Amino acid sequence: MNFDQPIDRSASCCIKWDRYAGRDVLPLWVADTDFQSPTEVLTALHQRVDHGVFGYTQPCQALIDEVVDFQKRTFDWEIDPSWLVWLPGLVSGLSVCCRAFAAPGEAVLTSTPIYPPFLKCPGAMERELQTAPLALTGGRWEFDWDAFRAAMDDRTRLYLFCAPHNPCGRLWERGELEELAAVCAERDLVICSDEIHNQLLLDQGQHIPLATLSPEVAARTVTLMAPSKTYNIAGLACSYAIIPDAELRRRFVAAAAMIVPHPNLMGYAAALAAYRHGGEWLEAQLDYLREARDMVQAAVDDLPGVSMTHIEATYLAWIDCRELGLERTAEYFEDFGLGFQAGREFGLPGFVRWNLGTTHANTREAIARFRRAIEALS
Ligand SMILES: Cc1ncc(COP(=O)(O)O)c(C=O)c1O
């Protein structure tokens, strides 16, 4: 559990580092970390490989029991195993929701800025995208309910929600969730609640699955979860939807049928080991990520023309560079050796997203480069 240990990812066909292969650019974009997964996950994968037979596989009862238990012990959410629908990834879950709950010509709403697939899935499924901006109020990203209501019309069928929020780092409070649920109920929207970052809490506080608010909210909600972000196993493709309402579940499963493949069997093995044994590793990782967040926050607070809101959850910092007046913000920083993800992909140009999931040595180097990039403007 040494998060300072540098691991060379260059020969592993990794998306994050390959983008800048052969260039001196630190990759701080796509949301995985440079950390090795918990030892118990590696052991479970070795054991699965040693078995040597990799045919069609379903989630074993132990994994189903573990997910049910995880929901209970982590969120006090009692789920029925029949509510689970296994998926290879959450993005396919977003697309399946678009297909299942809005007809062609009908609309899907989301709030910006947002993780880019939220903006792409509706169009890819030939549904209309509607967006409502979040508001930056008193140094905190919040819902703007007037803008939210104004963005909807009588074609809106589905709201794509992200909790905790990528890229704004918000751990939504109960009151905000209740208001969201009430506004969606006004128009009888289905809510797809992407809760992939639910264990990555940097502040004190509790992630509240939206569907736990009440049976009425649960009946209109598809919750998407996975251990993939928490334990850095996204490449193993194992996720799940929790859909309490039988009719929503039927529509979701029908929309996925013959298109969405099963999860990878290695993913099942890793998910079980991660949920069962990953607690101590996760606490250590969270401490490490908190230190990285605090380093980046201090540096940003100290520099002119940039700011960031406090990151309550996720390992992603969302940096406001609008005052710098740059034409292409992410490209400017790339010239200084920083591979950020551009805010325009999230629906908000002038920002960059900074992935904190790397060694402190890389974070310190990134901060030094960021400082140079800002100073070069004065
Ligand atoms: C909010 C959110 N949803 C989904 C994903 C990716 O999901 P998957 O790789 O399971 O498709 C990410 C990855 O960054 C994410 O941040």
Side-chain angles (χ1 to χ4, degrees), residues 122-203:
M125 298 299 114
E126 294 169 356
R127 274 61 175 167
E128 188 180 316
L129 170 70
Q130 295 173 328
T131 59
L134 295 172
L136 186 52
T137 318
R140 196 167 136 110
W141 288 95
E142 292 178 349
F143 280 97
D144 172 342
W145 298 115
D146 291 338
F148 194 93
R149 284 195 178 83
M152 293 192 261
D153 62 23
D154 54 14
R155 291 165 307 145
T156 316
R157 294 285 173 275
L158 171 69
Y159 176 62
L160 299 181
F161 180 45
C162 189
H165 192 268
N166 171 6
C168 294
R170 280 297 319 281
L171 179 60
W172 302 108
E173 289 167 11
R174 185 175 292 279
E176 295 172 294
L177 298 175
E178 282 170 352
E179 188 137 15
L180 173 69
V183 175
C184 290
E186 283 169 16
R187 291 233 177 215
D188 198 21
L189 303 189
V190 174
I191 305 170
C192 173
S193 188
D194 176 333
E195 303 185 9
I196 197 169
H197 294 277
N198 64 58
Q199 291 178 279
L200 292 164
L201 311 189
L202 303 188
D203 277 3

Side-chain angles (χ1 to χ4, degrees), residues 86-90 92 226-228 232-240 261-268 270-271:
W86 294 86
L87 295 165
L90 270 75
S92 30
S228 54
N232 205 26
I233 49 177
L236 291 168
C238 180
S239 319
Y240 53 92
H262 299 289
N264 183 298
L265 66 88
M266 301 302 281
Y268 290 138

Side-chain angles (χ1 to χ4, degrees), residues 30-32 88-92 94 115 117-118 162 164 166 194 196-197 226 228-229 234 239 315-316 353:
V30 70
D32 69 17
L90 270 75
V91 172
S92 30
L94 297 172
Y115 171 62
F118 280 56
C162 189
N166 171 6
D194 176 333
I196 197 169
H197 294 277
S228 54
K229 291 285 143 190
S239 319
Y315 50 74
L316 307 162
R353 196 189 67 174

